[in-house]
Amino acid sequence: MTGCGGEQKKDNAKADKGGKTKLRFASWDVADDIDLQQGVVDEFNKTHDDIEVSLEAYGSDFDTKISAGMGSGDTPDVMYMWNYPAYYEGLEPLDSYIEKEGEDYKKDFYDTLWDYNSMNEQIYGIPVGFTTHALFYNKDLFQEAGIDEPTDDWTWEDLQTAAKAISEKTDAKGFSFQMKPDPYDYEMYLWSNGSAYCGKDGQMDGYINSDESKEVFQMFQGMEKEGYAVATEKSGTDEFRSGQSAMYVYGSWSINSLKEDGMNYGITKIPSFGKQPSVSILSSSGIAMSKDSKNKDAAWEFMKYWTNEESNKNRIGLELPVLMNVVDSEKIMDKPEFAPFYLMLEQSSGHTPASFIIKDWSETSEDLSLSFEEIFNPSTLQDVSETLDQLSE
């Protein structure tokens, strides 16, 4: 065990007395995923005589229990984490632990993933899984319409041309998107067109209502107005699976259900606006250490185990692996259902989500969400320019 944080003597003292250092590990997963995680925890406990980890499955109560734990000083030693802006003050900075593992340790993770596990230029989590977004398309509907399938170099103009043709020649809509998209996700379209919700200081005026931002919203609303795209209540997966929509943009979460359906589909990169490569938001998960843990050396030992090469391989199918050597050894880039998400990852670095910048993000996100619905709801279709100008005030 590598010594860090001044707790090694305390941990070792327990081991010398024949006892084990007890760790609590909190997960947000449920059902089969928890069974798999319990198996990994059991394997860790078998191979470590001095540490015993107990898995605590919080499920949908994860945020409530983590918040309560941080408030009362009863936080689990190690926990899954994604919302660093909300919780980083209760977490242990990991830069010194990572540095002691050597230069190659950090380099094996994709760079962009560290951005999403950091706050104020300090690392608080070790990447575990991620998904970017990509364009899903129904091959049968493209064949029925007699048009070529999407390619990695498509622009949004190409998508609109194909969507119109499919809407005219089949019973399906060419494209679908969320009527009330999650503001965290939707910012990727603004990044792809050279804009953002806000500047580095969190000010939104001149960003959310820039010409580039308005162009994005007007394009989506325009597709809906012209009748070849549909705004959906949920993610658009239901419409895609039922063949009502030929294309939609989403993460890797739907791959297993599309496979179960036996659907004839393809995945490619998000189209660009023609000025620069398209950019995707990341939905990223990591594991973090409580700032209040009394067993930080043991916690770091477990975190390394949970994120090592073997654990990455064991989670393939549940999560996209985050280690480059695993992606290489398992030939992930040769698998067409996975490769587009890595291509999007490679071209999506250098962007900081507004949720990491704006202090009252929860309130701002709600305002954004309401404005998006006013713009895309077919019963309102409010003017984009006026709505975004009001939002920036």
Side-chain angles (χ1 to χ4, degrees):
M1 189 185 305
T2 303
C4 288
E7 296 291 338
Q8 185 175 17
K9 290 182 180 178
K10 192 178 293 180
D11 289 353
N12 288 346
K14 291 183 180 178
D16 291 344
K17 293 178 182 176
K20 291 186 176 184
T21 301
K22 307 281 188 181
L23 290 180
R24 295 167 57 210
F25 172 42
S27 172
W28 51 46
D29 284 314
V30 295
D32 291 345
D33 290 350
I34 282 295
D35 292 340
L36 176 64
Q37 291 176 2
Q38 185 63 60
V40 179
V41 168
D42 291 344
E43 190 61 30
F44 176 86
N45 288 337
K46 283 181 188 174
T47 54
H48 291 74
D49 294 336
D50 55 343
I51 304 172
E52 183 173 329
V53 178
S54 61
L55 176 63
E56 299 180 2
Y58 290 172
S60 60
D61 292 331
F62 182 85
D63 284 303
T64 301
K65 291 190 174 181
I66 293 297
S67 295
M70 287 186 175
S72 63
D74 188 34
T75 317
D77 300 278
V78 181
M79 69 207 85
Y80 263 84
M81 184 53 57
W82 73 274
N83 193 354
Y84 295 95
Y87 295 117
Y88 77 98
E89 290 177 333
L91 302 177
E92 175 80 359
L94 300 176
D95 303 79
S96 62
Y97 297 81
I98 293 168
E99 187 177 348
K100 290 185 178 181
E101 295 302 321
E103 193 173 332
D104 290 342
Y105 175 81
K106 188 179 178 185
K107 280 184 176 178
D108 201 20
F109 294 86
Y110 287 87
D111 269 350
T112 309
L113 297 174
W114 291 117
D115 296 340
Y116 282 76
N117 284 276
S118 300
M119 193 71 198
N120 298 332
E121 300 184 357
Q122 284 193 304
I123 296 172
Y124 288 94
I126 304 300
V128 173
F130 81 99
T131 184
T132 51
H133 284 62
L135 178 68
F136 289 72
Y137 59 94
N138 183 321
K139 293 187 174 187
D140 290 338
L141 287 172
F142 272 78
Q143 185 175 19
E144 183 180 343
I147 57 176
D148 293 336
E149 294 177 2
T151 57
D152 279 350
D153 61 353
W154 256 28
T155 64
W156 280 103
E157 189 175 342
D158 294 322
L159 182 144
Q160 291 174 74
T161 300
K164 286 178 186 175
I166 289 169
S167 296
E168 291 169 1
K169 297 177 181 179
T170 76
D171 293 331
K173 293 290 186 182
F175 182 67
S176 58
F177 63 94
Q178 282 185 273
M179 184 190 309
K180 193 176 181 181
D182 184 337
Y184 175 80
D185 293 339
Y186 198 83
E187 194 173 18
M188 64 183 176
Y189 297 120
L190 274 60
W191 291 340
S192 297
N193 202 32
S195 189
Y197 290 151
C198 66
K200 292 181 180 178
D201 59 359
Q203 292 299 311
M204 297 181 71
D205 190 26
Y207 292 89
I208 182 65
N209 58 339
S210 69
D211 290 343
E212 291 80 7
S213 295
K214 290 176 179 176
E215 183 183 7
V216 171
F217 286 89
Q218 285 163 344
M219 181 192 74
F220 278 84
Q221 190 190 65
M223 289 192 284
E224 186 182 4
K225 283 181 174 178
E226 292 187 34
Y228 57 87
V230 60
T232 61
E233 292 279 353
K234 297 181 180 177
S235 67
T237 300
D238 290 345
E239 288 76 8
F240 186 74
R241 292 175 70 180
S242 64
Q244 297 174 53
S245 167
M247 294 178 280
Y248 83 127
V249 174
Y250 200 49
S252 61
W253 306 291
S254 61
I255 289 176
N256 288 339
S257 59
L258 296 177
K259 281 182 179 176
E260 290 171 6
D261 291 347
M263 192 167 180
N264 187 21
Y265 72 100
I267 308 173
T268 190
K269 294 197 301 185
I270 298 173
S272 76
F273 284 90
K275 307 168 189 172
Q276 61 185 51
S278 58
V279 180
S280 174
I281 191 77
L282 265 69
S283 294
S284 168
S285 61
I287 56 170
M289 186 191 304
S290 169
K291 183 177 68 176
D292 297 327
S293 172
K294 304 300 183 189
N295 303 302
K296 291 177 180 171
D297 290 333
W300 177 243
E301 190 70 14
F302 176 67
M303 290 171 73
K304 286 192 298 179
Y305 184 89
W306 196 260
T307 55
N308 68 16
E309 183 176 331
E310 197 59 33
S311 295
N312 260 246
K313 289 179 181 177
N314 289 338
R315 285 194 292 270
I316 292 175
L318 295 175
E319 294 173 317
L320 297 175
V322 296
L323 293 176
M324 285 187 272
N325 79 77
V326 172
V327 172
D328 184 49
S329 67
E330 301 305 303
K331 301 186 185 308
I332 298 294
M333 297 305 287
D334 294 337
K335 300 178 180 179
E337 72 271 33
F338 294 147
F341 297 100
Y342 286 90
L343 295 175
M344 289 305 307
L345 177 65
E346 290 169 358
Q347 64 186 50
S348 297
S349 63
H351 299 276
T352 304
S355 61
F356 282 58
I357 301 173
I358 296 175
K359 291 183 179 178
D360 55 347
W361 171 248
S362 180
E363 182 180 340
T364 301
S365 177
E366 184 63 27
D367 291 342
L368 286 166
S369 187
L370 291 172
S371 295
F372 293 173
E373 187 174 22
E374 291 172 350
I375 290 171
F376 297 134
N377 190 316
S379 66
T380 53
L381 293 175
Q382 287 199 7
D383 182 83
V384 167
S385 187
E386 289 180 7
T387 304
L388 296 184
D389 283 340
Q390 290 173 4
L391 189 59
S392 69
E393 293 174 354

